[in-house]
Amino acid sequence: MAVKVKNIIPSKRLEAAQTNQHIASVKTMIDKVTVTNTTGAAVTFSCNLVPSGGAVDDANAIIKDKAVATGETYVCPELVGHVLESGDAISMIASVADSLTIRASGREVT
């Protein structure tokens, strides 16, 4: 078994449409996810861990409508330690496009 530390979501701006931010190609453990608000107003976001072949719904919601204040970085403790199987996705949405910067790190196990 090999373990590779990886930047699973390079820094990017979050969309205002539900979007798969990462689709696992191998078993992946989430170590850290940050969401930073660089705008002048609070912005909310939601995050789902969607099983392979599945769709975003309340059954796979991990973070729902979390408000991130102006200048705040939220560290997403709800996601740390979750495991994605091959084909599973991290899907996120923001209440306002291009207002939140996201980044995630993890480990791929092969």
Side-chain angles (χ1 to χ4, degrees), residues 64-81:
K64 187 82 168 172
D65 298 326
K66 171 68 179 165
V68 182
T70 298
E72 177 186 8
T73 297
Y74 184 68
V75 181
C76 304
E78 304 90 340
L79 295 170
V80 174

Side-chain angles (χ1 to χ4, degrees), residues 53-105:
V56 170
D57 63 29
D58 286 343
N60 53 43
I62 303 297
I63 300 171
K64 187 82 168 172
D65 298 326
K66 171 68 179 165
V68 182
T70 298
E72 177 186 8
T73 297
Y74 184 68
V75 181
C76 304
E78 304 90 340
L79 295 170
V80 174
H82 277 284
V83 175
L84 303 172
E85 299 297 332
S86 181
D88 293 354
I90 300 172
S91 184
M92 300 174 81
I93 184 171
S95 61
V96 180
D98 298 326
S99 297
L100 300 174
T101 301
I102 62 171
R103 183 177 174 95
S105 302

Side-chain angles (χ1 to χ4, degrees), residues 30-76:
I30 301 169
D31 291 327
K32 188 165 197 167
V33 179
T34 57
V35 179
T36 303
N37 183 349
T38 57
T39 68
V43 178
T44 63
F45 78 98
S46 296
C47 180
N48 296 64
L49 298 183
V50 183
S52 181
V56 170
D57 63 29
D58 286 343
N60 53 43
I62 303 297
I63 300 171
K64 187 82 168 172
D65 298 326
K66 171 68 179 165
V68 182
T70 298
E72 177 186 8
T73 297
Y74 184 68
V75 181
C76 304

